Amino acid sequence: MSTYVITVPGTFLSDLTDSARVTVEQRLRSADPHRTALGKQEDLDVLTVNDNGTFSIHVEVEADDSRTAERRARETAAGALREAGYTPEQAPLGPAVVTGIDNQA
């Protein structure tokens, strides 16, 4: 099994409140990529939000292959957004991509 750093892009179609941001970040804390060498080196924040509402969620997942890692990352991201009160229509996600593989985590 390998440790993958996965990026899941998306767009907030309704405003991101401070409390919702805290909820998303707390929900993603266990998957924070800062525990990996790549996450530390690139200083990847678990949630990056741009002025236009687009965002990137960076998470660390354990998986046997990249397809499984991408699926788990999307599920993790969607769950965090759902817990913060966002439906898939309010914060649609784009395709997850492998940002890096860290076999030393």
Side-chain angles (χ1 to χ4, degrees):
M1 211 178 272
S2 295
T3 301
Y4 292 83
V5 176
I6 306 291
T7 299
V8 182
T11 304
F12 286 112
L13 299 178
S14 59
D15 290 337
L16 175 66
T17 64
D18 290 340
S19 64
R21 183 182 189 115
V22 168
T23 299
V24 171
E25 290 175 343
Q26 286 177 339
R27 174 69 164 72
L28 296 172
R29 185 171 297 142
S30 64
D32 189 338
H34 275 107
R35 297 184 304 174
T36 66
L38 177 70
K40 289 176 191 171
Q41 179 182 349
E42 298 295 323
D43 195 26
L44 295 176
D45 291 328
V46 74
L47 174 64
T48 304
V49 182
N50 301 309
D51 291 337
N52 63 359
T54 59
F55 63 88
S56 296
I57 291 176
H58 305 282
V59 293
E60 167 194 332
V61 294
E62 295 283 329
D64 290 325
D65 57 67
S66 61
R67 181 168 293 189
T68 302
E70 290 168 0
R71 179 182 49 78
R72 288 182 181 164
R74 280 185 58 84
E75 290 169 355
T76 300
L81 292 167
R82 189 172 42 255
E83 192 170 309
Y86 292 93
T87 66
E89 293 76 25
Q90 294 171 315
L93 298 175
V97 295
V98 175
T99 305
I101 302 172
D102 185 4
N103 292 317
Q104 299 176 5

